[in-house]
């Protein structure tokens, strides 16, 4: 089975802290994604990557950056956490062929205080 | 079951009845569609997919219908069970150009005993 693993289920961070969210997939997928999920807004794409060291901005990249140094790992970085970044963060991966489902991790519930 | 659109976020269905969840997708160029199920505190799970060259696809107790003319997708769940209680949302994808998915905001399905 495909597995997408996020490093933390719950995180509490202080305003201004630098936060790292890690995601690892074991299916050799080319594409990886970071979404945030907020009530009433659905899943919004923050960044995605279609290859190692490649990244593209999604719909809401402000305040975030990403790193993909290895194919299996995609990290989301909050440079200076703010309270409006309190959310559920979901990582996903998919194969590079198009017309392929995205597989999701279990999510990280981040609270910024 | 009762048809609902995404402007009504909750669908309540008696156990054993059929459920129908609807989704209006946004991009006429999308050619691949997925339904996901998300249980509380978990990441989205794949249920069923359909390509644009089909108008119906059946899985185990689930059927997806695609109407490209009106850009409409529906998920039918037969003999709804308590374990079906979750948020369901659709996703659209294009096989060429971008690897991004566009997600609907979701419908919460409540199964009444």
């Amino acid at each position: 089975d495909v597995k997408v693993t996020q490093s933390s289920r719950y995180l509490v961070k202080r305003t201004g802290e630098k936060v790292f969210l890690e995601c690892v997939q074991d299916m050799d997928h080319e594409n990886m994604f970071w979404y945030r999920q907020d009530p009433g807004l659905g899943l919004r794409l923050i960044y995605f990557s279609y290859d190692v060291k490649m990244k593209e901005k999604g719909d809401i990249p402000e305040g975030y950056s990403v790193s993909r140094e290895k194919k299996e790992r995609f990290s989301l970085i909050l440079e200076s956490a703010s309270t409006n970044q309190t959310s559920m963060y979901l990582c996903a991966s998919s194969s590079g062929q198009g017309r392929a489902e995205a597989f999701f991790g279990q999510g990280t519930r981040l609270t910024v205080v | 079951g009762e048809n609902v659109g995404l402007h009504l976020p909750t669908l309540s269905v008696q156990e054993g009845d059929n459920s129908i969840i609807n989704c209006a997708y946004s991009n006429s160029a999308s050619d691949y569609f997925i339904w996901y199920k998300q249980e509380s505190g978990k990441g989205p799970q794949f249920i069923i997919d359909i390509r644009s060259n089909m108008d119906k696809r059946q899985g185990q107790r689930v059927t997806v219908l695609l109407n490209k003319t009106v850009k409409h997708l529906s998920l039918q769940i037969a003999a709804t069970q308590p374990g079906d209680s979750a948020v369901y949302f659709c996703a659209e994808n294009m096989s060429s150009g971008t690897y991004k998915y566009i997600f609907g905001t979701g419908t919460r399905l409540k199964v009444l005993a």
Side-chain angles (χ1 to χ4, degrees):
Chain A
D1 281 350
V2 172
K3 200 161 187 184
V4 179
T5 303
Q6 295 181 229
S7 53
S8 304
R9 289 294 304 273
Y10 301 96
L11 276 178
V12 179
K13 296 292 181 181
R14 294 194 180 277
T15 301
E17 276 193 76
K18 190 168 186 177
V19 181
F20 293 86
L21 302 183
E22 306 287 345
C23 176
V24 177
Q25 52 96 2
D26 65 1
M27 280 301 290
D28 201 37
H29 282 166
E30 291 83 358
N31 307 318
M32 295 190 75
F33 308 83
W34 275 106
Y35 295 91
R36 63 177 284 177
Q37 186 177 34
D38 301 288
L41 296 177
L43 273 75
R44 293 182 290 166
L45 181 64
I46 305 171
Y47 268 97
F48 71 102
S49 168
Y50 52 89
D51 201 351
V52 176
K53 297 191 187 292
M54 305 302 288
K55 59 186 179 184
E56 286 202 20
K57 293 179 180 179
D59 302 316
I60 50 164
E62 296 78 19
Y64 304 95
S65 62
V66 291
S67 172
R68 191 158 181 211
E69 296 296 317
K70 293 184 178 181
K71 191 174 186 180
E72 67 271 18
R73 187 179 297 270
F74 193 36
S75 303
L76 179 70
I77 303 150
L78 285 66
E79 298 292 342
S80 177
S82 63
T83 54
N84 63 14
Q85 291 179 310
T86 292
S87 187
M88 168 71 90
Y89 289 87
L90 289 162
C91 174
S93 72
S94 70
S95 69
Q97 307 305 313
R99 293 184 174 178
E101 67 189 272
F103 294 87
F104 284 87
Q106 78 276 28
T108 297
R109 171 76 62 186
L110 173 67
T111 302
V112 182
V113 298
Chain B
E2 179 182 349
N3 284 346
V4 290
L6 290 180
H7 61 285
L8 297 175
T10 302
L11 171 65
S12 297
V13 175
Q14 288 291 332
E15 182 179 354
D17 285 354
N18 297 334
S19 303
I20 300 174
I21 301 172
N22 296 316
C23 175
Y25 65 90
S26 58
N27 191 337
S28 56
S30 294
D31 58 4
Y32 177 66
F33 305 90
I34 312 166
W35 277 101
Y36 284 95
K37 172 185 180 183
Q38 187 175 19
E39 296 175 277
S40 181
K42 296 184 178 179
Q45 294 176 284
F46 171 87
I47 302 172
I48 192 167
D49 59 358
I50 189 167
R51 298 184 179 185
S52 59
N53 61 350
M54 304 171 70
D55 52 22
K56 181 179 180 178
R57 188 159 190 234
Q58 288 185 293
Q60 188 177 14
R61 280 201 307 119
V62 294
T63 301
V64 55
L65 300 177
L66 174 62
N67 184 331
K68 295 181 287 294
T69 303
V70 295
K71 294 193 291 185
H72 184 268
L73 199 65
S74 70
L75 176 71
Q76 300 178 2
I77 304 173
T80 311
Q81 301 170 359
D84 295 327
S85 293
V87 173
Y88 292 81
F89 52 89
C90 64
E92 56 184 292
N93 181 238
M94 288 184 288
S95 58
S96 62
T98 177
Y99 301 115
K100 291 197 294 184
Y101 300 83
I102 301 172
F103 291 91
T105 52
T107 297
R108 180 174 300 279
L109 176 65
K110 284 189 175 179
V111 181
L112 307 173

